[in-house]
Amino acid sequence: MPSQEVNPDLLKERNTATFDPHEFAVFWAGGEERYKEKKSLEKMFLEDPALKDDLPISYLSHKELYEHSLRKACIIGEKIRKLRAEGEDGVDTYNALLGGSLGAAILKEGNPLTLHYVMFVPTIMGQGTMDQQVEWLSKAWDCEIIGTYAQTELGHGTFLRGLETRADYDARTQEFVINTPSLSAYKWWPGGLGHTANHAVVVAQLYTKGEFRGLAPFIVQLRHSDTHEPLPGIDIGDIGTKLGMKSVNNGYLGLKNVRVPLNNMLMKNQQVLPDGTYVAPKNSVLTYGTMMFVRCALIRDTAQSLAKASTIATRYSAVRRQSPIDPNQPEPQIMDHTTQQLKLFPQIAKSIVFKTTGDGIWNMYNVLSGEIEQGNLDRLPEMHALSCCLKAICSADAAAGVEICRLSCGGHGYMDCSNFPTIYGMTTAVCTYEGENTVMLLQTARYLVKVYGQALNGEKLVPTVAYINDALKERQFVNFDGSLESIVKAFQFVAANKIRIAYEQIEQRRRQGHSTEMAANLSGTFLTAAADLHGRAFLAESAYTELLAVSRQVSPALADVLKVVLELYLVDACLNRIGDFLRFIDLTDKDVTTLEIRLQNCLKQLRPNAVTLVDSFDLHDRVLDSVLGAYDGNVYKRIFESTKKNPLNKEPVNEAFHKYLKPFMKAHL
Amino acid sequence: MPSQEVNPDLLKERNTATFDPHEFAVFWAGGEERYKEKKSLEKMFLEDPALKDDLPISYLSHKELYEHSLRKACIIGEKIRKLRAEGEDGVDTYNALLGGSLGAAILKEGNPLTLHYVMFVPTIMGQGTMDQQVEWLSKAWDCEIIGTYAQTELGHGTFLRGLETRADYDARTQEFVINTPSLSAYKWWPGGLGHTANHAVVVAQLYTKGEFRGLAPFIVQLRHSDTHEPLPGIDIGDIGTKLGMKSVNNGYLGLKNVRVPLNNMLMKNQQVLPDGTYVAPKNSVLTYGTMMFVRCALIRDTAQSLAKASTIATRYSAVRRQSPIDPNQPEPQIMDHTTQQLKLFPQIAKSIVFKTTGDGIWNMYNVLSGEIEQGNLDRLPEMHALSCCLKAICSADAAAGVEICRLSCGGHGYMDCSNFPTIYGMTTAVCTYEGENTVMLLQTARYLVKVYGQALNGEKLVPTVAYINDALKERQFVNFDGSLESIVKAFQFVAANKIRIAYEQIEQRRRQGHSTEMAANLSGTFLTAAADLHGRAFLAESAYTELLAVSRQVSPALADVLKVVLELYLVDACLNRIGDFLRFIDLTDKDVTTLEIRLQNCLKQLRPNAVTLVDSFDLHDRVLDSVLGAYDGNVYKRIFESTKKNPLNKEPVNEAFHKYLKPFMKAHL
C-alpha cells in the first residue's frame, strides 16, 4: 500500500501527547545502539521484496503454507549466513530473526528452520565434546546439515523419566540401536522435523551392558543428504494443522532399529566407552541453566506480543467511532468510553512491566550464570522458582490480554486481517511449551513451601522470598496507606499468607497420614495459588523498582507518563487480586471504592498519551501486519483492500454455484 | 475408523460410575421424545456418506473450504426440503441443523445457508405484510431464492442510528434508490452474502419526500437468478478469513443507485404510500422480542459448546497419564491431579447450569411472548435486562472454559485434530455478535440503576430484581452459614451492593455537574461490574432452583450426582467473586479456607462420575470431531491416523526441498 495520509483522529492524538515517543522507543529497544541495529535489520529484511507476501498467508492451504514458508526461511538463512560471514550475527540478531518481532514480520506463523538455530546448534555446543563440536558444528552453522531437537513424545511430555525411546549400545559394532518401541514413544512436536530437518538430536533412555543409565542425547541422521528421502527405519512426517505456529513444520518420528555410531552420542557430560562402560555425569544442574535461559527469554517475548496487540487495539480505538456518550453529540472515538480504556490501558502497562521485568530477570540470569560457572549454585533454586512462575504468569496474562484487545475491536478483531488470531495463537502456545504453566507453578510452589518451613525455623531467606521472614514477624498488615510502596508491600504480605496456607494444607494432610507427595497433590490448588501470588508480588516490586529507576534517567515529560503507567499497573494488579487483599488485610468497602476510583483516574491520565505510548513501542507496520493497527490508521481502506486479495473474490461467480447451488435452487421447478 | 476396543482406563471409569448415563442423557436432550428425535436426525444426517469428510477441513484453503461447504449446505438444504414436505421440520430440527451440535458435526465452521433460514425467512415473516409474505415466502422456503440479512456496516455496528446506507423514495417511478454513500457504509459480515445469496434484506435509513423517517428493511436482489452475476450497482464479495466461522461466507455489499420497487420495503410495521406519504410504526417494542429470542437461544448454545469442550478434555484426562504423584508409582491418569480437576469439573458444572438456566429463560421468554402478543409489556424491560447480561456472562465464561479445557490437554489440545481451536473460534464469536458483551452489560446496568432508584423511593420491584428491596432493608448480611441457600442469598446481597455503588457513582458525578450520560460513561466500569453480579446472582439462584427441581424428578443415584454438581457450581462461583463477598459480607480468612476445602471435596466427590457425566451429554463422536475426545478413548491411535490424512505427508519429500532447501544447503559447497 502506498503511504497515505494519516487518519485525522490519530494525528490529533499524536499532536496532543505530552512526551517524545522517540525517547521512549530508544529505551524500549534497549538503548541507542540497539535501536540503530534494529532499524538496520528491519531495512535489510523488510525491504527485500522476496520476503513480502502478495497474498496473505491465511488464504493458503497447509501444504502451500509450508512450501511458502520454507522458501522464505531459506532466504533468511542465506542472509544470516552473510551476516555471520561479516561477524554481524550477534545473539540479538538471532533473537530478532527467529523468536522476535522481526522474524514474525516475515514468517508470522513460525519458521521451520528456527529449531536448527536455537536448539540443534546450541545442544551440540552445550553437550558435545570438543571433538564432536569440531565434527558437527561447522556443518550445522553452514546449514550443510539441518537439525532439530526431538525430546517430547506422543505419550510423554513434562515427565522426562517417562520417555520411552531407547538407545541400546551394541559393543560388537560400537553402535547404538535406537527404537521407539510403541506408538506413544513416537517423537512428537519438534519444529522442522516434518519435512525440513535431515538430522535431529534424539533424546533417549540409554542402556549399556544391559543396564539402564538414564537419558542421553544422540545425533541421528533422518534423511538422505542428497535425496532427502527418509532413511531406513525412520517413519517421519508433519503432525498436522494447529491453532498457531502453522508453518513450523512440527513433526513426528518413529525409529525402528536405527543404528548410529558410538560417537553420535553427545558426550560432554556423560560418556559411553567403546566396551560399553558407562561414565556418569558429575552433576545434572547445568541443564537447569538452559531451561532458565529459555524461560527468561519467553518473559520478554510475552511483553512483545502484548505490545503488538495493545498497539493494534489502541490505534483502532482512536479511529473507530461508536455509540454516543451524549445523545446530542456525534459518535465518539471508542477510546473515550471508560469501559474501553479499562480493556486497553492495563495491557499497555503490562507490556511495559513485563518488558522491564524480563530485562531485569535476564540480568539476574547472567549474573547467576557467571556464579554457576564458578561452581556457586546457591541462588539456582531461587532463580529457578522465580523463572517458573513468571513464565506461567506472563504467558497467561499476555494471552488473556491479547484476547481482551481483540474483543475490544468488536467483529473486526475477529478477522484474520486484524492479525489478532495469529498473535493469540503464538502467545497462548507459550502457556504450554517449555514447561506447562500449571507444572511451572507447582515447581515454584514446592520451593516456596520449603523455604516457608525454613522461615518458620527462624532461618533468614534469600532476597526474592525474604518477605516471608517479614510477614512472619508482623502477622498483621497495618498502615495500608494506598501509596505505591504499600501496595507492593501488601502484595508480599498477601503472597506470604498464601504460602502459609499452602504449607498448612500440606502439613494438615500429612498429619492425616498422607505421604508428602500425596499431601502436595491434594493441596495442588493451594500451591498454584501461592506461586501465582509470589510471582505477582515479584512483578509488583519489579515494576516499582525498575520503572522508578527508568524515570530517574529520562526526561521529566516521559518520567511523568511512566509514573502513571506504574500506578495504573499496581492499582489494577491489586484490584485483580482484591479477594486476597481483603482476606489478609483489613480493608473496607470504602477502601476498595477508593482504589477503583483511583484506577479510573489513572485511565483518565493515560488517555491523552495512549496512542503515543504504543507508537513508542516502535513496531513496524510489517511486524503488526494488521489492517486495524497500521501507523496511518486508514482502517477501513485497509480492510477493504485486504478483501481484494481474497482468492474467492477473483471471480464474480464461484464455480460451486454452478455445481451445487443452482441445481439445488432449481430442483423443485 | 472401525469401531475399536475402548481404552481400559475409560472402561474402568464407566464401570465405577454411580448413576445411569442414559437417564441423564434423556434429561439433557429434553425428554424421551426429543431424545428419540435427536437420534433419528443423527442417523439421517451423520450416516449419509455424502456428508462425511475424507480430509479434515483444516487442510483446505479458504476457497476450497467454501466450495466444500456449499456442497454440503445444499445437501442439508435438500434434506430439510424433504423433512418439510413430510411436515417434520419443527423448530428443533432447524435449531439442531443450523445452530446446534448436529449442524456443527456436518459443517463445523458454519453453514453459508444458515442466515437464509434463520434471518431472511423470519424477517419476511415478521416484518412483511400478508401480501408480501405470499409473494416472497414460498420462493424463500423452496430455496428458489437464497437470502441473507444485511444490517451491520463496515463502520457501524451496535449503534443502529449511525447506519449510513440510505433508501430514497422516488415517487415518480415508485421505487427506492438505495446507496451506500461511503466505504464505511458498506454492509459487512452477513453470512452467505459473499457468493451464496442472491437476495438480501437490506436495512437502510429511509427518506421519503426529502425527509428522514428512520430505519426500514428492503428486499434487494443482488445477483442474477440464472447466471448468479452481481446485478448493476452491486459490489459484493467475501470479507476474508477469520478466527472461526470460516465457511460462513460472510460478505460485504456496496450499493450504488440500486432501485427496488415500492413493494420491496417490508411494510408490516411502517408503510410508505405510493405518493411517498410515510406511516410510522405503532410501537417499536416488537423488535426487542426477536433480539431476546436470539439471546436466549445463545445461552443454550454456550452450554453446548462448553459441554463439548468438557467432554473432550475429561475423556482425554482419563486416558492420559503423566507426572507421578507418588514417585514409586506409575504415572497416574492426569485427572487424578487436583489441579486438573479444578480445571475440568467447574466446566462440566457450568455446562449443566447454563443449560438448565437457558431452558428456564427460554420458558420465561415464551410466557413473555404470549403477554406481549396480548399487549402486556410489563415484564419486557426486566427480561431484556436479564437476557443481555446472561448472554454476556455465559458466552464469556464458555469461551474461557473452552480455553481452560484446551490448555488442560497440553500440547495435544493445540492441534486442530483436538477440535478445540474450532470450538473456541465458534464460542468466542458469541461474545461479539448479537450485541457485544460490554454493550450488553451496560444495557443491563442501565436498567439496574433505574430500578435501584425506584427501590430507594420505596417501590416494590419485579421478581428478578426484588433482592434489591431486601438488601435495602437488611443493610448487613448476617447468617452466612455456608449453606447453598445462603450462598445464593449472599450473591444477591453482593449484587445489590454492586448496583448501589454504580448508582452512587453516577449520582456523585451528576452532583459534580456532569450530564446523566457523561456520568454513566465515567462510571462505566462500575456499571459493567454491577451487571455482571446481577447475572451471576441470577445464575446462582437458577442453578439452585432448577437443579433441585430436577433432582426431585430423577432417580436417587442421579439426584446425588446433581447435588454435587450444584454445590461445586455455587462454591466455585462464590470463590471466583470472593473479593466482592469479602467486601460486603463479614467473612474471615478461615471462612475462605473452609470454602476452598469444600471446593476440593466437591472435586473429590465428582471424580468417580466425571467421565460418565460427560458421556451423558451424549455428544456423538462426529459432533465432538476430536481425536482426544472420542468415546473409545483411543487417543494416540486417532492422533496418529489423523496425520496420515495430512496432504503434506502424501509424499516423503516435499518439492520445496528441491526448489529451496537443497540449493540453500549446498550453496557454500
Side-chain angles (χ1 to χ4, degrees):
Chain A
M1 179 179 296
S3 77
Q4 299 189 20
E5 276 184 21
V6 170
N7 174 288
D9 281 324
L10 271 187
L11 210 56
K12 183 198 76 184
E13 298 289 336
R14 286 169 183 147
N15 288 338
T16 53
T18 64
F19 73 104
D20 174 14
H22 179 72
E23 185 186 3
F24 191 94
V26 170
F27 157 73
W28 188 259
E32 199 63 63
E33 197 179 331
R34 292 246 177 106
Y35 180 79
K36 278 184 199 150
E37 273 171 31
K38 178 188 166 208
K39 292 289 173 190
S40 138
L41 279 176
E42 280 178 1
K43 201 173 150 61
M44 176 173 180
F45 283 85
L46 300 183
E47 291 182 10
D48 183 342
L51 292 176
K52 280 182 190 163
D53 299 327
D54 294 328
L55 180 65
I57 60 167
S58 62
Y59 292 108
L60 303 179
S61 72
H62 182 59
K63 186 159 177 280
E64 289 165 344
L65 179 58
Y66 170 65
E67 293 160 0
H68 169 91
S69 304
L70 186 59
R71 181 182 70 74
K72 289 169 96 178
C74 291
I75 298 174
I76 296 171
E78 197 55 68
K79 284 186 196 280
I80 288 178
R81 201 178 258 162
K82 190 164 161 284
L83 286 168
R84 190 172 148 75
E86 294 163 0
E88 299 282 339
D89 62 331
V91 66
D92 288 337
T93 306
Y94 288 102
N95 280 348
L97 281 170
L98 299 168
S101 52
L102 185 56
I106 307 165
L107 284 169
K108 64 190 224 170
E109 291 285 358
N111 182 332
L113 293 181
T114 291
L115 247 60
H116 172 74
Y117 293 103
V118 307
M119 285 297 291
F120 184 66
V121 172
T123 302
I124 297 173
M125 288 168 74
Q127 302 198 44
T129 61
M130 266 309 158
D131 284 350
Q132 288 178 319
Q133 294 193 33
V134 168
E135 178 174 354
W136 297 101
L137 269 186
S138 71
K139 285 187 221 168
W141 273 123
D142 288 339
C143 297
E144 192 184 328
I145 61 175
I146 300 289
T148 183
Y149 182 86
Q151 177 174 298
T152 298
E153 297 173 356
L154 183 53
H156 312 276
T158 301
F159 182 64
L160 289 186
R161 275 172 291 163
L163 293 178
E164 291 180 72
T165 301
R166 58 185 284 161
D168 290 88
Y169 184 62
D170 180 349
R172 285 172 310 165
T173 59
Q174 300 196 2
E175 288 172 321
F176 295 100
V177 187
I178 308 182
N179 276 288
T180 47
S182 69
L183 189 52
S184 55
Y186 262 62
K187 294 297 176 186
W188 210 265
W189 282 112
L193 176 63
H195 295 82
T196 312
N198 60 5
H199 284 70
V201 169
V202 172
V203 178
Q205 307 285 7
L206 170 64
Y207 289 79
T208 69
K209 297 187 170 179
E211 269 184 59
F212 172 60
R213 311 293 186 171
L215 291 172
F218 301 85
I219 294 185
V220 179
Q221 182 169 353
L222 309 171
R223 290 172 176 272
H224 188 279
S225 307
D226 277 321
T227 65
H228 214 54
E229 290 285 340
L231 295 179
I234 302 281
D235 182 15
I236 196 168
D238 177 284
I239 63 167
T241 57
K242 303 170 302 283
L243 175 58
M245 314 199 84
K246 296 174 201 266
S247 55
V248 173
N249 193 219
N250 301 91
Y252 64 82
L253 170 65
L255 298 148
K256 193 164 181 188
N257 293 325
V258 171
R259 290 182 163 258
V260 301
L262 173 59
N263 191 44
N264 278 33
M265 176 175 141
L266 294 174
M267 298 222 205
K268 183 171 165 186
N269 300 320
Q270 55 186 338
Q271 292 86 38
V272 172
L273 305 185
D275 70 346
T277 303
Y278 175 71
V279 184
K282 290 217 178 63
N283 66 56
S284 59
V285 153
L286 291 171
T287 51
Y288 273 93
T290 319
M291 289 192 294
M292 272 195 295
F293 168 84
V294 174
R295 281 168 202 152
C296 292
L298 289 180
I299 295 165
R300 303 213 279 191
D301 286 354
T302 63
Q304 200 69 9
S305 301
L306 204 45
K308 269 198 240 181
S310 320
T311 301
I312 297 168
T314 302
R315 287 182 181 158
Y316 177 74
S317 299
V319 171
R320 177 76 170 185
R321 293 180 162 272
Q322 194 174 280
S323 298
I325 293 168
D326 182 332
N328 302 315
Q329 294 290 316
E331 295 181 271
Q333 294 167 287
I334 55 175
M335 212 201 297
D336 286 333
H337 295 288
T338 56
T339 46
Q340 186 78 353
Q341 294 169 11
L342 188 61
K343 293 175 191 174
L344 303 178
F345 299 170
Q347 313 314 323
I348 298 177
K350 276 184 200 178
S351 306
I352 296 170
V353 170
F354 290 2
K355 147 92 176 150
T356 52
T357 302
D359 288 350
I361 284 279
W362 190 258
N363 294 337
M364 276 174 79
Y365 168 77
N366 282 327
V367 171
L368 183 74
S369 286
E371 289 176 10
I372 293 177
E373 295 262 318
Q374 293 168 355
N376 176 359
L377 308 178
D378 290 355
R379 293 199 68 184
L380 191 63
E382 178 192 10
M383 184 73 191
H384 172 68
L386 193 58
S387 70
C388 286
C389 69
L390 288 179
K391 182 270 184 187
I393 292 167
C394 294
S395 60
D397 279 15
V402 170
E403 282 300 81
I404 291 169
C405 288
R406 173 179 71 76
L407 288 160
S408 81
C409 297
H412 293 344
Y414 195 74
M415 296 193 287
D416 281 331
C417 58
S418 73
N419 206 21
F420 282 119
T422 294
I423 298 172
Y424 180 63
M426 299 300 275
T427 310
T428 188
V430 185
C431 297
T432 305
Y433 65 59
E434 299 297 339
E436 192 276 330
N437 278 356
T438 302
V439 175
M440 291 292 93
L441 292 175
L442 288 172
Q443 297 214 0
T444 301
R446 202 161 303 149
Y447 172 78
L448 295 173
V449 166
K450 194 175 127 201
V451 298
Y452 190 84
Q454 294 169 350
L456 277 184
N457 288 334
E459 290 180 40
K460 192 172 173 316
L461 301 179
V462 290
T464 59
V465 286
Y467 64 81
I468 297 175
N469 290 132
D470 301 341
L472 282 175
K473 258 181 255 154
E474 308 272 337
R475 295 279 165 190
Q476 287 263 339
F477 193 86
V478 284
N479 300 329
F480 182 83
D481 60 7
S483 68
L484 299 186
E485 207 178 345
S486 82
I487 294 178
V488 172
K489 290 280 169 210
F491 249 115
Q492 294 176 336
F493 185 80
V494 168
N497 274 284
K498 297 288 267 195
I499 298 167
R500 167 180 62 78
I501 290 174
Y503 178 88
E504 289 169 355
Q505 288 295 319
I506 293 180
E507 287 305 304
Q508 191 180 325
R509 288 181 165 104
R510 277 158 48 113
R511 283 195 300 275
Q512 289 164 358
H514 290 293
S515 69
T516 306
E517 291 81 8
M518 182 50 88
N521 177 44
L522 293 173
S523 312
T525 58
F526 294 92
L527 288 167
T528 51
D532 174 74
L533 254 298
H534 171 65
R536 291 188 189 277
F538 182 84
L539 280 164
E541 192 190 20
S542 160
Y544 182 75
T545 314
E546 304 278 348
L547 284 180
L548 287 187
V550 176
S551 297
R552 283 190 288 271
Q553 292 158 29
V554 297
S555 69
L558 178 53
D560 283 348
V561 177
L562 291 178
K563 282 173 197 161
V564 176
V565 167
L566 172 61
E567 182 171 2
L568 170 58
Y569 175 79
L570 287 175
V571 174
D572 181 56
C574 171
L575 284 169
N576 281 328
R577 286 293 179 277
I578 196 67
D580 291 319
F581 276 71
L582 286 162
R583 182 170 174 185
F584 302 116
I585 298 175
D586 193 24
L587 296 175
T588 64
D589 171 20
K590 273 243 167 76
D591 291 328
V592 181
T593 308
T594 304
L595 281 168
E596 287 175 339
I597 290 173
R598 199 161 149 205
L599 180 63
Q600 296 263 359
N601 284 336
C602 290
L603 298 176
K604 192 175 163 190
Q605 282 177 271
L606 203 66
R607 169 69 187 82
N609 285 313
V611 164
T612 306
L613 260 179
V614 299
D615 282 351
S616 346
F617 294 154
D618 193 36
L619 296 163
H620 193 287
D621 271 357
R622 289 275 301 284
V623 171
L624 296 172
D625 195 25
S626 170
V627 294
L628 306 184
Y631 186 82
D632 66 18
N634 287 311
V635 169
Y636 300 133
K637 266 192 200 166
R638 285 177 180 270
I639 294 179
F640 198 65
E641 280 167 27
S642 83
T643 67
K644 296 298 170 196
K645 297 180 185 158
N646 182 346
L648 210 43
N649 294 335
K650 299 293 179 191
E651 306 151 318
V653 179
N654 182 276
E655 61 171 343
F657 167 74
H658 298 289
K659 281 169 79 173
Y660 312 120
L661 191 57
K662 192 170 177 180
F664 168 62
M665 291 170 74
K666 308 283 182 187
H668 66 295
L669 295 179
Chain B
M1 177 180 297
S3 78
Q4 301 188 17
E5 278 185 19
V6 171
N7 173 290
D9 282 323
L10 271 187
L11 209 56
K12 182 198 76 185
E13 299 289 335
R14 286 170 183 145
N15 287 338
T16 54
T18 64
F19 73 102
D20 173 14
H22 179 73
E23 185 186 6
F24 191 95
V26 170
F27 157 73
W28 187 259
E32 200 62 66
E33 197 178 332
R34 290 246 178 107
Y35 179 78
K36 278 185 199 150
E37 272 171 32
K38 180 187 162 206
K39 293 288 176 193
S40 137
L41 278 176
E42 281 178 359
K43 201 173 150 63
M44 175 173 180
F45 283 84
L46 299 185
E47 291 182 9
D48 183 341
L51 291 176
K52 280 184 191 164
D53 299 326
D54 294 326
L55 180 64
I57 60 168
S58 63
Y59 292 107
L60 303 179
S61 72
H62 183 59
K63 186 158 177 281
E64 288 165 346
L65 178 60
Y66 170 65
E67 292 159 0
H68 169 92
S69 304
L70 187 59
R71 180 181 70 76
K72 288 168 97 178
C74 290
I75 298 173
I76 296 171
E78 198 54 68
K79 285 185 194 281
I80 288 177
R81 203 178 256 158
K82 189 163 162 280
L83 287 168
R84 192 173 147 73
E86 295 162 359
E88 299 281 340
D89 62 332
V91 68
D92 287 337
T93 306
Y94 287 102
N95 281 348
L97 281 172
L98 298 168
S101 51
L102 185 56
I106 306 166
L107 285 170
K108 63 190 223 169
E109 291 285 356
N111 183 331
L113 293 181
T114 291
L115 247 60
H116 171 74
Y117 293 103
V118 306
M119 286 298 292
F120 184 67
V121 171
T123 302
I124 297 172
M125 288 168 74
Q127 303 198 42
T129 61
M130 267 309 161
D131 284 350
Q132 289 178 319
Q133 294 192 33
V134 168
E135 179 175 353
W136 296 102
L137 269 186
S138 71
K139 285 187 223 169
W141 273 124
D142 288 339
C143 295
E144 192 184 325
I145 61 175
I146 300 289
T148 182
Y149 182 84
Q151 176 174 296
T152 298
E153 298 174 356
L154 182 54
H156 312 277
T158 302
F159 183 63
L160 289 187
R161 275 171 291 162
L163 293 178
E164 290 179 70
T165 301
R166 58 184 285 159
D168 290 88
Y169 183 62
D170 180 350
R172 285 171 311 167
T173 61
Q174 299 196 5
E175 289 172 323
F176 295 99
V177 187
I178 307 183
N179 277 289
T180 47
S182 70
L183 188 53
S184 55
Y186 263 62
K187 294 296 179 188
W188 210 265
W189 284 111
L193 175 62
H195 295 82
T196 313
N198 61 4
H199 283 69
V201 169
V202 172
V203 177
Q205 306 286 6
L206 169 65
Y207 289 79
T208 70
K209 297 188 170 179
E211 269 185 59
F212 172 61
R213 311 293 186 174
L215 291 172
F218 301 86
I219 294 184
V220 180
Q221 182 169 353
L222 308 172
R223 291 172 175 273
H224 189 279
S225 307
D226 277 321
T227 65
H228 213 54
E229 289 285 338
L231 295 179
I234 302 281
D235 183 16
I236 197 167
D238 176 285
I239 63 167
T241 57
K242 303 171 302 283
L243 176 59
M245 312 199 84
K246 294 174 201 269
S247 55
V248 173
N249 193 221
N250 300 92
Y252 64 83
L253 170 66
L255 299 148
K256 194 165 180 187
N257 292 325
V258 171
R259 290 182 163 258
V260 301
L262 173 59
N263 190 43
N264 280 33
M265 178 175 138
L266 294 173
M267 299 221 207
K268 181 170 168 189
N269 301 320
Q270 54 187 339
Q271 292 85 39
V272 172
L273 305 184
D275 70 347
T277 302
Y278 175 73
V279 184
K282 291 214 179 64
N283 67 54
S284 59
V285 153
L286 291 171
T287 51
Y288 273 92
T290 317
M291 289 193 294
M292 272 193 297
F293 168 83
V294 174
R295 281 169 203 151
C296 292
L298 289 180
I299 295 165
R300 303 212 280 190
D301 286 353
T302 63
Q304 199 70 7
S305 301
L306 205 46
K308 268 197 239 181
S310 320
T311 302
I312 297 168
T314 301
R315 287 182 181 159
Y316 177 73
S317 299
V319 171
R320 176 77 170 183
R321 294 180 162 270
Q322 193 173 280
S323 299
I325 293 169
D326 182 332
N328 302 316
Q329 295 290 316
E331 296 181 271
Q333 294 167 289
I334 57 176
M335 212 201 296
D336 285 333
H337 295 287
T338 56
T339 47
Q340 186 76 354
Q341 294 169 10
L342 187 62
K343 293 175 192 175
L344 303 178
F345 299 172
Q347 312 314 324
I348 298 176
K350 277 184 199 177
S351 306
I352 296 170
V353 169
F354 290 1
K355 148 91 175 152
T356 53
T357 302
D359 288 350
I361 284 277
W362 190 258
N363 294 338
M364 276 173 78
Y365 169 78
N366 282 327
V367 171
L368 182 75
S369 287
E371 290 176 8
I372 292 177
E373 294 262 320
Q374 294 168 358
N376 176 358
L377 308 179
D378 290 355
R379 293 201 67 185
L380 190 62
E382 177 193 9
M383 184 74 190
H384 172 68
L386 192 59
S387 70
C388 285
C389 69
L390 287 179
K391 181 267 184 191
I393 291 168
C394 295
S395 61
D397 279 14
V402 170
E403 282 300 79
I404 290 170
C405 289
R406 174 180 69 76
L407 288 161
S408 81
C409 299
H412 294 343
Y414 194 74
M415 296 193 288
D416 281 331
C417 59
S418 74
N419 206 21
F420 282 119
T422 294
I423 297 172
Y424 180 63
M426 300 299 277
T427 310
T428 187
V430 184
C431 297
T432 304
Y433 64 59
E434 297 299 336
E436 191 277 329
N437 277 358
T438 303
V439 174
M440 290 294 92
L441 292 174
L442 288 171
Q443 296 212 2
T444 301
R446 200 161 303 148
Y447 172 78
L448 295 174
V449 166
K450 195 175 128 200
V451 299
Y452 189 84
Q454 294 170 350
L456 277 183
N457 287 334
E459 291 181 40
K460 193 172 173 315
L461 301 180
V462 290
T464 60
V465 285
Y467 64 81
I468 297 175
N469 289 135
D470 301 340
L472 282 174
K473 257 182 255 153
E474 307 272 338
R475 294 281 165 189
Q476 287 263 339
F477 192 87
V478 283
N479 299 331
F480 182 83
D481 60 8
S483 69
L484 299 185
E485 205 176 349
S486 83
I487 293 178
V488 173
K489 290 280 169 210
F491 249 115
Q492 294 175 336
F493 185 79
V494 167
N497 275 284
K498 296 288 268 193
I499 298 166
R500 168 183 59 79
I501 290 174
Y503 179 88
E504 289 170 355
Q505 287 295 319
I506 294 179
E507 288 305 304
Q508 190 179 325
R509 288 181 165 103
R510 277 157 49 113
R511 282 196 300 274
Q512 289 164 359
H514 291 293
S515 69
T516 305
E517 292 81 7
M518 182 51 87
N521 177 45
L522 292 173
S523 312
T525 58
F526 295 92
L527 288 166
T528 50
D532 173 74
L533 254 298
H534 172 65
R536 291 187 190 278
F538 182 83
L539 280 165
E541 192 189 19
S542 159
Y544 182 77
T545 315
E546 303 279 347
L547 284 180
L548 288 187
V550 176
S551 298
R552 282 188 289 270
Q553 293 159 28
V554 296
S555 68
L558 179 53
D560 283 346
V561 177
L562 290 178
K563 282 174 196 160
V564 176
V565 168
L566 172 61
E567 181 171 3
L568 171 59
Y569 175 79
L570 287 175
V571 174
D572 181 56
C574 171
L575 284 169
N576 281 328
R577 286 292 179 277
I578 196 67
D580 290 318
F581 277 72
L582 286 162
R583 183 171 174 185
F584 302 115
I585 299 175
D586 193 23
L587 295 176
T588 64
D589 170 21
K590 273 244 167 74
D591 292 328
V592 181
T593 307
T594 305
L595 281 168
E596 287 174 339
I597 291 172
R598 199 161 151 206
L599 180 63
Q600 296 263 359
N601 284 336
C602 291
L603 299 176
K604 193 176 162 187
Q605 283 177 273
L606 203 65
R607 170 68 187 84
N609 285 313
V611 164
T612 305
L613 260 179
V614 299
D615 282 350
S616 354
F617 294 154
D618 193 36
L619 296 162
H620 194 286
D621 271 357
R622 288 276 301 282
V623 171
L624 296 172
D625 195 24
S626 169
V627 294
L628 306 185
Y631 187 82
D632 66 19
N634 288 310
V635 169
Y636 299 132
K637 266 193 202 167
R638 284 177 182 270
I639 294 179
F640 198 65
E641 281 167 27
S642 84
T643 67
K644 298 296 170 198
K645 297 180 185 158
N646 183 345
L648 208 45
N649 294 335
K650 297 292 179 191
E651 306 151 318
V653 179
N654 181 276
E655 61 170 342
F657 167 74
H658 299 289
K659 280 169 79 174
Y660 312 120
L661 190 57
K662 190 170 179 181
F664 169 62
M665 292 169 75
K666 308 281 182 188
H668 66 294
L669 295 178

